[in-house]
Structures are given as C-alpha cells and as structure tokens.
C-alpha cells in the first residue's frame, strides 16, 4: 500500500521526515507499553477465573456474565489490549 502525504511547511523534507519518524517511534513505544500493561492485567484475571480473555470478551458481549466489577475491569483491559495491539501492528508496518 502506498500513502501520499501533503506537507505544507517551509521546513526541508529531511526535517519533516525526521519529525514524523520520531513521532511514529514515540507512538510505537507508547503502544508497546500499553500492550504490556493490559496483557499483565488480562493474565491476572485469566489466572483468577480460569479462562481466556478472548472467552471473557465473547461471553461479556453476549450478556452472559454477571455484574461483578472484576468482569467489567477485565473486559475493559481486554478491549484496551486489543486496541493497542492493533495500533502497534499498524505502526510497525510503517516505514519512511
């Protein structure tokens, strides 16, 4: 896939490229951190309840879980993990 980027600035293409590269690297770092943190939370809940986070998400979205606050926290962590993991995958596929 190719991508066109319109740059409206007086800075050199090299300076703009470096700024974009730096921003992408920072965002990748943030995404890696978030994936790790959400993964740890999910693993703790998996150990506590004895089933996978994917199974929890499917049950939760089907309305087959109780009202225990742990399930809401676990569901939020799983969604956070999925979001940041996808974002990391997207960012990892970008090169300048």
């Amino acid at each position: 896939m190719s991508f066109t980027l319109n740059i409206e600035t007086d800075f050199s293409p090299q300076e703009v490229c470096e700024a974009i590269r730096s921003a992408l690297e920072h965002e990748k770092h943030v995404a890696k951190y978030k994936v790790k943190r959400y993964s740890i939370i999910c693993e703790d809940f998996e150990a506590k309840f004895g089933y996978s986070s994917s199974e929890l998400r499917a049950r939760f979205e089907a309305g087959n879980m109780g009202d225990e606050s742990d399930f809401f926290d676990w569901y939020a962590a799983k969604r956070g993990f999925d979001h940041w993991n996808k974002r990391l995958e997207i960012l990892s596929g970008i090169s300048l």
Side-chain angles (χ1 to χ4, degrees):
M1 170 199 289
S2 64
F3 186 77
T4 302
L5 181 64
N6 294 319
I7 301 169
E8 298 179 16
T9 182
D10 292 331
F11 295 103
S12 72
Q14 182 179 354
E15 289 173 305
V16 171
C17 188
E18 184 52 39
I20 293 169
R21 184 178 287 114
S22 176
L24 285 170
E25 285 303 315
H26 174 74
E27 190 66 12
K28 269 200 273 189
H29 177 73
V30 169
K32 286 177 185 177
Y33 173 80
K34 297 279 190 173
V35 165
K36 184 176 181 177
R37 294 297 304 142
Y38 283 124
S39 177
I40 291 168
I41 294 167
C42 287
E43 288 170 4
D44 288 346
F45 280 120
E46 288 170 355
K48 180 177 181 177
F49 291 103
Y51 51 93
S52 73
S53 294
S54 294
E55 188 176 349
L56 169 275
R57 184 170 181 171
R59 287 183 184 183
F60 192 93
E61 290 175 351
N64 296 329
M65 300 303 295
D67 292 335
E68 189 175 337
S69 66
D70 277 351
F71 296 138
F72 287 92
D73 293 343
W74 188 4
Y75 178 73
K78 173 60 174 152
R79 287 201 42 170
F81 173 83
D82 290 345
H83 168 80
W84 284 102
N85 199 41
K86 181 179 178 180
R87 189 166 184 117
L88 179 57
E89 188 175 330
I90 291 168
L91 292 167
S92 295
I94 298 172
S95 62
L96 296 177

